[in-house]
Amino acid sequence: MPEAARTTQLPHRLRWLSVLIAGATLVCGVLAAVEFRALRHVTQIDLPVSQADLTVRPDGICGQFRTGLPKYRLRWDGEPPRAWLADRQTGEALAPPLLLESSLSLNSKGVLWLGEGDCRFTIDRATYETLGDDLILRVEKIGSRSTFYSWSLATLICGLLVFICRQNARIYSVRPQLRSAAHWDEGRSMVFVLISLASVLVFFPGHPVAHMSGDPANIFSFAAALDSPEEMAGDAVLSDTRNFKWYTPLYVKVVQAFGWMGFHYSTSRAFMVLISSLAGLFGYYQLFRIISRSAMFAFVATLGLWFLKAHYPPNENWGPMLVLPRTVYGAFMPWVAVLALRLMSRPQWWWLPAAASGLLFYVHPVSSPAITGAILMGFVFGGPGKWWTRLAWGTLGGAAAIAIMFPYVMVYAGKYSGTVVSDVAVTAQAFEIARERFAPGYLEPLVFYRNLALYLVCTPRYWLGIVALVMLCRYRRGTLTTRVSVGMTLGYVIVTCVIPTLDVIVSSRMGRLPFQIDLIRNLRYLDVWLLAIVAAAVREVNRPDWGRTWALQFRVAMTRFLDPREISWRLVPAAAVVWALICFVPPATRSTYRLVEFSYDNLTILVGHPYGEMAQEMEAFRAVKTMRRAKEVVGGSFHMRQMHIPVAYNNKDLGVLAYSSPANLVAAKNVLRQSADRLTWPLDQSAALDQAAIMDAQILLLPRDEITPGLARSDRVIFQNASHVLVRLDPKQIVARRKTLNRSDALIITGEERTRN
């Protein structure tokens, strides 16, 4: 067969091969899902303590099980199986599961299971003699996870092969003269795919103790409360769904789906970061390439933006790898902008990108109005035809966006109705608490604008963007690029700055909380605007008619000193690339290093060897989960909520309640204030009882270095390790202490009272 014929048939064969491998990918994925479904079921086996080798000591009974134990296997996420002592008759846990060798000597009751034939325990003598044969060892029997990961790895490899086959089929479908550019596109696509796959390691397996952070943990706790409302009935905030049910329902539903499948809620971030990385990297590349017409600038700008970790006033962050509703939104946002730019010359289709932006409202309602306003203003300023025609088609696009947003707008408005209370004093207190809780400038427009101006002046990378916008307006004001850039910038500024300012002014005069003050948080997209404006300048500089401006005189002057053949305005994209490298690579490198640390932390958990603070946190949370009785509320880290553990008030709750209920916000602040007033360090048993009575908690998870040695030796301690102490207080003593405390102004609110309210 001639060489030309073979070359012609190769793309066809590669496409068919990709179809076959895609089928194999689907089969491997189904088999991995079946294996994971089997891993979800964990059985418990009871062994009488009499089967252990016992050693009687003056301070208690020690023992070791060498036989009769199930095979020691790690959970799918790498967490070791639990083993604890329990009462056969009541099922109550008596000795917590331990994870670290050092913790066994700190506890009078505890079980340490480290592997085959190595399950040691200790129990006080009184409990052992009282229960006798009813004292049992309860252990978890877990299936092997090797088959699940084998099929998962096969699915990943097959998926990569499909991508490679499709890319090569596209390369060999073009003429030989164009294949070098096709190879460049394939290399760029492969870089984006590999980055996306590597990002999964930052969040998988997603154990709750791995690089815990506030906002994601709150979202996971919302999912847990919606899945198991009966288990969270005593929680200070989540017992009432009105406090959080309004929060991005679509995103929370996706998180819930991972819980239904048997994963941790936090495992959802591993899958979301894969999707958002693919969408974001390819999307921003397409956006910057369309604007600048420079593939190299688009590539460098995309990588710099994606790995950038930036902070903006008043207290906003840019970091696509954080995996939150706003970062998922930011990954899909460039595709809406690309669609808008492609339909700029067709006004009858302007409703389509506006509607697409409206759909993103369900991903993150605070961010969607900014891109919607920017697109509509870009249409009105840069579209073809007379101004009234553009205004009419833009209005139609706005109506389409509002129609798409309307169902969730009603949900959001319903949430806001709960923030309107008739008591002016409560509203004033809530406003002051919110002012304390949020960053300076969040509810003070003048402070916000001052901080924003200082930020722009003190951050050199924005200087080029401002200069580029001014030059476009001064020398290229009539071009489509300039009109669209100015229009979209104006729409972005109106939504991000003007509307929130008016909202704060009106709300302060009407005595209510602001409705959409969060719109100022769209400042997080400032670097997207910056790169888009620079890309627009790069595009305009390379236009053939650019020489008719002041640049012609500049170019003539330069030719007096340099060879004219060496002067080319095609160097402008290269200069923009250098600028992007200088401004974005250093911060991106720092954030990438941090992501590598996260990946290593997850890997240590996955292989069953967590270290440092993660191991201490995992051991403490396992003890709480095992030892907590039904309806007991825990005073401690709010991260436990995602494990279906109800928690008392904490400072993080103020941020949630500031958006939903002024009355509950004031009550929570009063409880936390009284708790702080009666807090003494180090914490002794009496102070711990005060905290339990104030917080309406029966168990306290406390830092070990903040309690007295007397409390650490108390029989009220049911678990301790090098960093944490778990204290259970007597319910009768809690009730008695609550009666003696000052209850004026509803400083203490019990779970029953919260339910009635």
Side-chain angles (χ1 to χ4, degrees):
M1 183 180 294
E3 182 67 25
R6 284 199 296 269
T7 304
T8 304
Q9 293 181 2
L10 183 58
H12 180 71
R13 293 176 178 176
L14 286 173
R15 291 190 186 96
W16 273 108
L17 180 60
S18 67
V19 171
L20 294 175
I21 300 177
T25 305
L26 180 61
V27 172
C28 293
V30 171
L31 292 174
V34 171
E35 289 296 328
F36 183 77
R37 185 178 180 83
L39 286 177
R40 294 175 54 188
H41 301 289
V42 178
T43 59
Q44 295 178 355
I45 298 177
D46 294 342
L47 301 174
V49 172
S50 58
Q51 292 184 5
D53 298 334
L54 300 177
T55 302
V56 179
R57 295 181 179 177
D59 56 346
I61 306 295
C62 299
Q64 182 173 6
F65 282 87
R66 302 183 186 276
T67 59
L69 295 169
K71 190 173 180 61
Y72 185 88
R73 292 192 180 101
L74 301 177
R75 290 175 176 265
W76 69 268
D77 60 354
E79 181 180 332
R82 290 183 300 162
W84 66 96
L85 296 181
D87 186 340
R88 187 199 304 271
Q89 299 296 328
T90 63
E92 180 182 358
L94 302 174
L98 305 179
L99 193 62
L100 304 173
E101 184 84 34
S102 58
S103 301
L104 186 60
S105 60
L106 296 176
N107 291 273
S108 60
K109 301 177 183 178
V111 181
L112 180 65
W113 188 16
L114 296 178
E116 303 294 338
D118 187 11
C119 182
R120 289 168 281 166
F121 68 89
T122 180
I123 188 75
D124 64 283
R125 200 162 184 171
T127 303
Y128 175 78
E129 293 175 351
T130 301
L131 293 180
D133 293 338
D134 286 333
L135 183 63
I136 59 171
L137 177 73
R138 183 161 290 169
V139 296
E140 292 180 332
K141 182 180 180 181
I142 301 172
S144 175
R145 60 177 183 164
S146 58
T147 308
F148 162 67
Y149 280 108
S150 297
W151 286 119
S152 300
L153 182 61
T155 303
L156 177 62
I157 294 174
C158 289
L160 280 175
L161 291 176
V162 169
F163 174 78
I164 293 172
C165 288
R166 298 293 297 182
Q167 288 294 105
N168 281 278
R170 190 175 67 85
I171 289 174
Y172 287 103
S173 297
V174 302
R175 292 180 306 212
Q177 305 93 300
L178 302 177
R179 285 181 187 167
S180 60
H183 278 296
W184 152 253
D185 287 340
E186 181 188 24
R188 178 259 307 161
S189 300
M190 182 59 70
V191 169
F192 289 165
V193 170
L194 292 178
I195 289 174
S196 301
L197 292 175
S199 300
V200 175
L201 300 177
V202 179
F203 300 105
F204 190 84
H207 196 282
V209 302
H211 44 84
M212 299 184 296
S213 55
D215 290 343
N218 262 348
I219 296 172
F220 304 148
S221 68
F222 297 162
L226 292 173
D227 281 341
S228 306
E230 68 285 349
E231 293 184 8
M232 307 299 289
D235 190 273
V237 174
L238 304 186
S239 56
D240 186 354
T241 58
R242 292 174 297 181
N243 290 330
F244 64 91
K245 198 173 183 179
W246 50 269
Y247 184 85
T248 54
L250 178 61
Y251 190 92
V252 176
K253 285 292 183 185
V254 173
V255 172
Q256 284 182 267
F258 283 88
W260 300 336
M261 289 186 288
F263 293 103
H264 298 297
Y265 293 118
S266 53
T267 310
S268 61
R269 293 202 290 176
F271 293 87
M272 288 185 184
V273 77
L274 175 62
I275 297 172
S276 63
S277 295
L278 289 172
L281 289 169
F282 283 96
Y284 282 112
Y285 176 80
Q286 289 294 330
L287 177 62
F288 295 143
R289 186 170 185 177
I290 289 173
I291 298 175
S292 68
R293 293 182 176 176
S294 171
M296 180 57 71
F297 174 80
F299 180 71
V300 174
T302 298
L303 291 182
L305 180 67
W306 196 251
F307 288 101
L308 177 68
K309 184 69 179 296
H311 304 277
Y312 313 96
N315 187 29
E316 194 50 49
N317 301 308
W318 168 268
M321 301 298 291
L322 295 176
V323 191
L324 289 164
R326 61 177 181 262
T327 60
V328 175
Y329 172 91
F332 288 97
M333 180 182 68
W335 291 106
V336 177
V338 168
L339 181 62
L341 293 177
R342 293 192 183 280
L343 296 177
M344 183 66 65
S345 60
R346 302 167 67 182
Q348 66 272 21
W349 288 99
W350 285 358
W351 63 270
L352 188 57
S357 180
L359 284 175
L360 290 182
F361 189 77
Y362 293 87
V363 178
H364 195 237
V366 172
S367 297
S368 181
I371 185 64
T372 304
I375 287 174
L376 294 176
M377 291 295 288
F379 284 156
V380 173
F381 271 68
K386 300 295 184 180
W387 69 266
W388 58 81
T389 305
R390 300 196 302 268
L391 183 61
W393 286 115
T395 303
L396 179 62
I402 293 174
I404 296 294
M405 297 177 184
F406 187 74
Y408 184 60
V409 169
M410 298 305 296
V411 174
Y412 206 76
K415 179 274 295 188
Y416 180 73
S417 65
T419 67
V420 180
V421 294
S422 57
D423 192 332
V424 178
V426 171
T427 302
Q429 290 183 58
F431 199 89
E432 289 303 316
I433 295 170
R435 193 188 300 274
E436 295 174 8
R437 178 66 179 80
F438 297 129
Y442 201 79
L443 297 173
E444 300 164 322
L446 293 179
V447 176
F448 167 70
Y449 289 127
R450 182 193 65 192
N451 293 342
L452 176 58
L454 289 174
Y455 178 76
L456 294 176
V457 170
C458 298
T459 310
R461 69 173 179 268
Y462 296 111
W463 300 348
L464 180 61
I466 296 173
V467 170
L469 184 60
V470 171
M471 298 303 292
L472 288 173
C473 295
R474 173 65 179 85
Y475 297 105
R476 306 295 293 175
R477 69 171 63 94
T479 63
L480 175 65
T481 302
T482 302
R483 287 188 287 120
V484 172
S485 300
V486 172
M488 297 189 75
T489 300
L490 185 60
Y492 174 69
V493 171
I494 290 174
V495 175
T496 304
C497 299
V498 177
I499 293 178
T501 300
L502 295 176
D503 187 25
V504 171
I505 295 173
V506 172
S507 64
S508 62
R509 294 182 179 273
M510 296 181 62
R512 61 169 177 81
L513 292 179
F515 180 61
Q516 274 292 22
I517 184 62
D518 269 355
L519 288 176
I520 66 173
R521 301 180 67 183
N522 285 302
L523 205 64
R524 70 175 70 96
Y525 303 115
L526 188 60
D527 280 288
V528 178
W529 169 86
L530 169 65
L531 290 169
I533 291 297
V534 173
V538 170
R539 177 193 183 101
E540 287 300 299
V541 164
N542 282 282
R543 289 174 60 91
D545 57 347
W546 175 257
R548 290 198 294 268
T549 65
W550 63 273
L552 178 62
Q553 288 75 25
F554 179 75
R555 195 186 321 195
V556 171
M558 290 294 294
T559 57
R560 298 178 181 178
F561 303 97
L562 301 174
D563 185 349
R565 292 171 297 180
E566 301 297 328
I567 299 297
S568 174
W569 287 97
R570 299 293 178 185
L571 294 177
V572 172
V577 169
V578 173
W579 166 81
L581 288 172
I582 294 174
C583 293
F584 287 89
V585 168
T589 302
R590 291 192 294 270
S591 63
T592 303
Y593 176 75
R594 185 60 176 159
L595 295 176
V596 171
E597 288 184 334
F598 288 167
S599 301
Y600 176 76
D601 292 345
N602 277 301
L603 183 61
T604 60
I605 293 177
L606 191 60
V607 299
H609 296 290
Y611 69 97
E613 294 182 3
M614 287 192 306
Q616 304 284 350
E617 292 278 357
M618 182 184 293
E619 187 178 43
F621 288 173
R622 280 158 52 101
V624 173
K625 185 177 180 180
T626 305
M627 302 299 292
R628 189 183 73 87
R629 297 167 182 165
K631 298 184 178 180
E632 281 188 329
V633 177
V634 182
S637 172
F638 66 94
H639 292 88
M640 291 183 286
R641 285 172 170 156
Q642 60 186 294
M643 293 177 279
H644 303 275
I645 298 173
V647 177
Y649 278 129
N650 56 79
N651 286 320
K652 188 67 177 178
D653 294 336
L654 299 180
V656 176
L657 296 174
Y659 290 98
S660 56
S661 175
N664 290 341
L665 174 63
V666 173
K669 182 62 177 180
N670 287 337
V671 169
L672 293 174
R673 184 180 293 119
Q674 189 184 25
S675 171
D677 290 343
R678 297 189 65 87
L679 198 60
T680 58
W681 302 111
L683 207 67
D684 58 15
Q685 187 165 341
S686 177
L689 189 59
D690 284 346
Q691 296 301 309
I694 295 170
M695 306 298 291
D696 191 27
Q698 293 75 44
I699 300 180
L700 300 178
L701 183 62
L702 304 169
R704 182 180 174 84
D705 58 357
E706 295 178 357
I707 67 170
T708 61
L711 179 56
R713 293 191 299 267
S714 169
D715 58 356
R716 290 299 172 188
V717 173
I718 57 177
F719 162 82
Q720 57 182 311
N721 61 12
S723 61
H724 294 84
V725 173
L726 187 62
V727 182
R728 170 177 283 134
L729 285 308
D730 187 348
K732 295 181 180 179
Q733 293 182 354
I734 294 176
V735 173
R737 182 60 60 90
R738 185 179 296 126
K739 292 179 180 179
T740 63
L741 294 173
N742 180 14
R743 299 194 55 170
S744 62
D745 297 327
L747 289 180
I748 306 173
I749 299 181
T750 64
E752 292 81 2
E753 291 170 335
R754 274 196 301 272
T755 303
R756 289 197 299 270
N757 291 337

